[in-house]
Amino acid sequence: MKIFNRYSAFLLGAVVLVSQAANVADVDYFTDNGFGNPSSTLQHPTGEYYKGTTYIAYQGPHEDAWVAAYNHANKKWLGPVLAGVNLMGKTPDPVKNDDVDNHGKPAMMVDEKGYIHVVYGAHGGSPLLGKNTLGAPGSLRGGKLTHLVSKNPEDISAWVKLDNISPFGTYPQFVQMDDGDIYLFYRHGSHWSDWVYQKSTDSGRTFQPPVSILKHKAQQGKPTEHDSWYAWFAKGQGDTITASYVYHRCDNPGHTNDRNNTYFMKMNGKDDSWENAAGERLTVSVTKEYADKKTLIFNSGEERTNHGTCRVDKQGNPHLFFRYDKGQVRYSRWTGKAWTMPVAVIPGGGSADGDMVVESPTTVRMILTSNNGNTGEVGWWKTADGGQTWAKERPIMAKPGGSYDISALIENFTAEGLVILSEGQPSDYLYKRMMLVGENGPAKRPAAEASYIQEQLTALREAGVQPETKESRAAGKKAKKKNKTN
Ligand code: ZN
């Protein structure tokens, strides 16, 4: 503890020096027009470093897809620009979080030639778009899974729509292999849908048909209970892709908040075959019964889990975390023979989330949001003993009374740009300040360049619309519940 205090005092000195050097008119955020839940760890990557620039996609006003770019050499921001309109968006922008869908936020990547790809815009896809053979379509407001590509390489100013993926989907996730092959993973519709991927071998110009890997189905003898999943995909060692996932027992009709257990499997990109951590070949699409037998890491019983992220060490062994019940983050790794017992990284509650960097089989750093009393923090937690114990490093960001939402790690990240954070201001309705944050804090920007919502704020204030507060939100939920029981 003493060491930590001395370390933080040293760093505090360093931070003061940096802020003296920076322009006083600079702000921590590159834009204030993030909207609702602008980015998360699930739809990912949401940023990629490519040839000196970090490209970022996020959900802006009207739930549309916006893109910005940060040039690291001259420390200049470009954009953000509106890349694509979201069919699920509402006009005017809602001021209550419950009125925002948030499933259509973008994932993005940069291909081998420097073209920027964005997939966004759906919570299952509208049933009017045709028949969904791999799941249930969304509601009439389910949008359409949409693929955009930049008109020119390394240029966010103009976008082209490519009609080459299924319209039915949500939670898009890109994985690009060393040879340039692109896998687009997503859930093929609303809750009662398979998780699939579509593969492209021509830099995303065409995609092969969806391949189902996690199967949704009614439980045997219990048609009102439905097996479903939340899954997270990333590149593994060499030509492999990791999949970590949690089980979702959904109601049909209806929906539950249940999420349980944690599972893992991986794909071999040479022949697109799947195996479990022990190397046993799997048959996809994986059912709940099959997953329990072959890919289960941790049985949480009735207790709630949620997806985290998964990264590999040089041996290719997976390290992962999942969120556990009241905001805990639990870490486990495959030793080559077995999964280690999941260990709580952050003591206590809160709403921790983030990503991890695996330095060696026993040394891992996790960048996480957390609460320190009433202060929202983002910073590193480190283990040097294979995950048995974790030490908190100095926070990179800290905000008394506030909190941050965090993205997965920027693809190909640098020390100047690790993750994207969003932060709400009580007076800014559902608009969020968006930050690119590195080891030493955010990539700053002149305040005047980062201001995009003045017109919206003025219109809302003049119309007398009050921003949602914690209290009004809780009261609204209570009233809704009461109406339901009536
Ligand atoms: Zn559900």
Side-chain angles (χ1 to χ4, degrees):
M1 201 61 203
K2 214 167 197 175
I3 292 171
F4 171 68
N5 284 339
R6 243 184 297 150
Y7 185 45
S8 49
F10 161 73
L11 279 153
L12 198 62
V15 168
V16 170
L17 283 180
V18 168
S19 60
Q20 277 169 351
N23 190 328
V24 282
D26 286 357
V27 290
D28 286 348
Y29 50 95
F30 61 88
T31 181
D32 55 3
N33 79 340
F35 183 66
N37 177 216
S39 73
S40 78
T41 55
L42 190 48
Q43 289 91 340
H44 78 104
T46 46
E48 179 160 347
Y49 174 87
Y50 182 85
K51 294 190 179 173
T53 297
T54 297
Y55 298 91
I56 293 168
Y58 66 94
Q59 174 173 287
H62 191 263
E63 302 184 52
D64 293 341
W66 286 68
V67 180
Y70 180 69
N71 182 301
H72 289 260
N74 64 22
K75 303 199 182 304
K76 286 261 189 300
W77 282 97
L78 274 176
V81 300
L82 173 62
V85 171
N86 189 338
L87 295 174
M88 297 192 294
K90 294 173 180 148
T91 305
D93 284 331
V95 297
K96 288 183 183 163
N97 200 50
D98 284 354
D99 295 335
V100 184
D101 186 291
N102 283 321
H103 283 72
K105 57 178 163 283
M108 63 85 68
M109 56 156 277
V110 184
D111 71 26
E112 286 181 306
K113 294 166 189 150
Y115 290 89
I116 305 144
H117 297 254
V118 172
V119 169
Y120 77 105
H123 186 178
S126 160
L128 302 179
L129 294 166
K131 187 172 163 51
N132 183 354
T133 55
L134 291 166
S139 68
L140 285 168
R141 291 203 69 100
K144 180 185 181 184
L145 195 67
T146 302
H147 179 195
L148 306 172
V149 64
S150 61
K151 192 170 176 209
N152 299 302
E154 300 174 58
D155 177 0
I156 64 170
S157 64
W159 295 86
V160 178
K161 211 178 270 182
L162 297 180
D163 202 5
N164 61 2
I165 56 171
S166 166
F168 302 109
T170 193
Y171 307 126
Q173 303 174 33
F174 279 116
V175 181
Q176 185 169 204
M177 310 307 279
D178 294 336
D179 64 5
D181 285 358
I182 296 166
Y183 293 80
L184 175 65
F185 289 88
Y186 58 93
R187 193 180 69 191
H188 201 279
S190 193
H191 292 263
W192 320 305
S193 302
D194 290 1
W195 281 80
V196 305
Y197 69 84
Q198 290 191 251
K199 183 178 183 177
S200 172
T201 57
D202 58 2
S203 301
R205 296 296 152 169
T206 63
F207 280 88
Q208 296 164 12
V211 177
S212 170
I213 50 171
L214 290 172
K215 193 165 179 56
H216 82 96
K217 64 172 180 60
Q219 286 181 10
Q220 264 182 348
K222 282 193 213 162
T224 58
E225 296 197 359
H226 209 92
D227 294 337
S228 184
W229 310 93
Y230 291 91
W232 199 88
F233 303 89
K235 190 176 173 302
Q237 188 70 14
D239 208 7
T240 66
I241 294 171
T242 62
S244 49
Y245 47 104
V246 298
Y247 171 65
H248 169 50
R249 188 199 60 77
C250 199
D251 282 346
N252 189 354
H255 169 54
T256 73
N257 257 326
D258 289 6
R259 299 179 190 196
N260 309 91
N261 305 345
T262 298
Y263 303 83
F264 172 87
M265 61 188 187
K266 75 175 178 190
M267 181 190 221
N268 186 334
K270 286 192 175 65
D271 58 2
D272 295 347
S273 63
W274 289 85
E275 60 188 67
N276 62 14
E280 185 185 352
R281 186 112 176 196
L282 301 173
T283 309
V284 292
S285 190
V286 168
T287 63
K288 168 69 164 45
E289 291 79 7
Y290 190 70
D292 282 344
K293 218 190 285 175
K294 301 284 189 183
T295 68
L296 181 67
I297 299 170
F298 177 67
N299 183 341
S300 68
E302 292 295 304
E303 293 188 305
R304 192 169 191 269
T305 60
N306 204 349
H307 78 90
T309 74
C310 177
R311 304 290 179 183
V312 298
D313 58 36
K314 286 206 171 64
Q315 281 83 56
N317 289 327
H319 300 236
L320 56 80
F321 79 88
F322 56 91
R323 288 173 283 166
Y324 191 65
D325 207 8
K326 297 174 184 97
Q328 266 190 13
V329 159
R330 290 200 176 190
Y331 162 90
S332 176
R333 70 187 171 102
W334 177 256
T335 63
K337 291 188 180 119
W339 290 101
T340 57
M341 193 56 159
V343 168
V345 175
I346 294 183
S351 54
D353 196 10
D355 204 346
M356 72 173 88
V357 176
V358 179
E359 293 177 356
S360 81
T362 52
T363 303
V364 178
R365 297 167 81 212
M366 295 183 60
I367 187 164
L368 297 171
T369 55
S370 63
N371 297 323
N372 185 359
N374 194 35
T375 298
E377 293 182 346
V378 179
W380 292 104
W381 298 70
K382 184 176 178 178
T383 181
D385 60 9
Q388 294 171 59
T389 59
W390 291 82
K392 183 185 182 182
E393 300 190 350
R394 50 106 188 177
I396 299 171
M397 303 291 290
K399 188 174 169 84
S403 66
Y404 301 97
D405 282 326
I406 193 168
S407 70
L409 281 162
I410 303 273
E411 197 69 13
N412 195 24
F413 62 84
T414 68
E416 282 184 325
L418 298 165
V419 291
I420 299 150
L421 301 182
S422 54
E423 179 197 19
Q425 299 296 313
S427 58
D428 285 359
Y429 299 83
L430 295 180
Y431 301 105
K432 302 285 162 69
R433 295 176 172 183
M434 306 296 299
M435 291 170 258
L436 171 65
V437 172
E439 294 284 1
N440 295 313
K444 290 172 180 274
R445 187 172 202 191
E449 285 183 22
S451 178
Y452 285 81
I453 51 164
Q454 286 317 308
E455 270 177 45
Q456 287 101 317
L457 291 183
T458 303
L460 285 165
R461 281 173 195 146
E462 281 176 357
V465 180
Q466 295 299 315
E468 196 179 36
T469 61
K470 260 184 199 163
E471 292 74 30
S472 69
R473 197 177 170 192
K477 278 217 167 110
K478 225 174 166 182
K480 218 176 186 180
K481 223 176 185 179
K482 208 174 167 195
N483 285 339
K484 252 185 198 164
T485 48
N486 288 346

